[in-house]
Amino acid sequence: MTKPVLSVVDAKLEVDGRVLWEGLNLEVQPNEFIAVLGANGSGKTSLLKAILGQMPLSAGEIRLIGKKVSRGSRKIGYVPQHRQPETTMPLRAKDLLWLGLNGDRFGFWFPKPGAKKQFEHILDAIDGRRLQNRPISELSGGELQRFRVGQAVIDEPDLILADEPLSALDYSQQAAVAELLSRESREHGAAVLFVTHDVNPVLSMVDRVLYLAGGSFRIGTPDEVLTSETLSELYGTAIDVVRNQGRIVVLGAHDDHAHHHDEEWA
């Protein structure tokens, strides 16, 4: 059997006395694409932080390629939520890609063998040649996210964590960024954990869904998890899952902090 890229074992995370999730067991295989869904405050981003070693678990453990996770692992690529950078930030678009190859090194450094070739490959993959010398503050949301995906995959990580990378992008930008992420992960056998409020732009790429709600969770294929019966049981209240022309809409989901009515965020 193939060794899992990621193993989450009996994990619990409690923040300020509130249990975000507990008893979480998850094994992620190479090439697997998992969508992480749930309402605001359900612990989706916190799960990524725990995997990155930035937030300690309250119980259980997380292992990456059989070893306990540690902060700053080069085996993990990370795509953050879209935020427009400060206009005074001097970084050029191509600098983001180089940081993906050497951002963990201090002082003077020499490119490792194949670095230039890999840089050129990713630059073409994200259609970034005409943009590479522009300051990142001048890039559109979709352009910037393409370079952030490039930064995450350029060092060929075993695991890619994406934290709502499609937020604030229009539909065509969402499709381009999602396909880029999926294609680059397939090329190198990387597993993907993709946090999102709307699964529809990546639904065709998703192997399994991890749905977090009310301190509990469900794991399975989209057809197994994204049903009225399953989500009603998970939330402890009536939830309607509507499928229309290949899209999924969840109606009535809520958590302790926010209410979502007729909102397409599944």
Side-chain angles (χ1 to χ4, degrees):
M1 293 181 64
T2 304
K3 179 181 291 187
V5 173
L6 179 73
S7 298
V8 181
V9 182
D10 292 330
K12 174 182 178 181
L13 187 62
E14 184 175 346
V15 178
D16 296 329
R18 178 171 173 256
V19 175
L20 298 183
W21 31 263
E22 62 181 329
L24 178 58
N25 289 283
L26 174 67
E27 285 195 345
V28 184
Q29 302 297 329
N31 278 125
E32 192 171 19
F33 194 114
I34 296 182
V36 183
L37 309 177
N40 291 335
S42 59
K44 303 185 300 295
T45 294
S46 296
L47 174 61
L48 299 194
K49 288 182 178 179
I51 295 169
L52 288 167
Q54 297 175 354
M55 182 175 287
L57 293 174
S58 305
E61 66 175 10
I62 300 176
R63 293 187 171 273
L64 180 68
I65 319 296
K67 296 182 179 180
K68 192 171 182 179
V69 293
S70 59
R71 193 162 184 156
S73 173
R74 299 291 294 176
K75 296 181 181 295
I76 300 177
Y78 176 64
V79 185
Q81 294 185 30
H82 169 64
R83 290 188 178 89
Q84 203 62 28
E86 297 289 336
T87 57
T88 56
M89 189 171 291
L91 280 178
R92 297 165 298 177
K94 66 181 180 181
D95 295 331
L96 287 181
L97 298 187
W98 283 116
L99 283 171
L101 286 170
N102 58 65
D104 62 330
R105 307 180 192 182
F106 296 96
F108 294 103
W109 62 276
F110 295 95
K112 56 187 177 182
K116 180 64 175 177
K117 183 179 179 180
Q118 184 65 1
F119 173 86
E120 297 290 339
H121 165 69
I122 295 297
L123 193 63
D124 286 334
I126 64 175
D127 191 22
R129 288 200 175 272
R130 65 183 178 83
L131 302 169
Q132 61 178 313
N133 291 308
R134 290 176 57 180
I136 61 174
S137 59
E138 296 181 7
L139 299 180
S140 71
E143 291 167 346
L144 180 59
Q145 285 301 80
R146 293 207 316 265
F147 273 89
R148 283 172 170 158
V149 171
Q151 181 187 43
V153 303
I154 195 169
D155 208 27
E156 300 181 4
D158 295 298
L159 176 65
I160 299 170
L161 305 179
D163 190 4
E164 299 199 37
L166 308 184
S167 61
L169 303 185
D170 63 32
Y171 184 77
S172 63
Q173 292 172 332
Q174 288 181 349
V177 170
E179 175 55 32
L180 168 63
L181 182 58
S182 177
R183 183 178 71 244
E184 288 301 314
S185 68
R186 289 196 306 269
E187 280 191 8
H188 305 296
V192 178
L193 257 64
F194 193 98
V195 169
T196 182
H197 273 80
D198 182 4
V199 75
N200 291 295
V202 296
L203 189 57
S204 64
M205 309 170 189
V206 172
D207 296 302
R208 286 190 292 163
V209 167
L210 168 60
Y211 204 112
L212 303 172
S216 190
F217 61 90
R218 294 292 185 275
I219 302 172
T221 67
D223 286 340
E224 291 170 340
V225 175
L226 299 177
T227 68
S228 298
E229 180 180 12
T230 298
L231 294 190
S232 294
E233 179 183 349
L234 183 59
Y235 278 99
T237 190
I239 301 293
D240 290 324
V241 177
V242 180
R243 295 173 182 259
N244 182 32
Q245 297 182 340
R247 294 180 66 80
I248 296 175
V249 184
V250 175
L251 307 177
H254 66 277
D255 63 12
D256 293 337
H257 304 287
H259 292 263
H260 306 263
H261 179 66
D262 292 359
E263 184 177 356
E264 188 179 282
W265 57 263

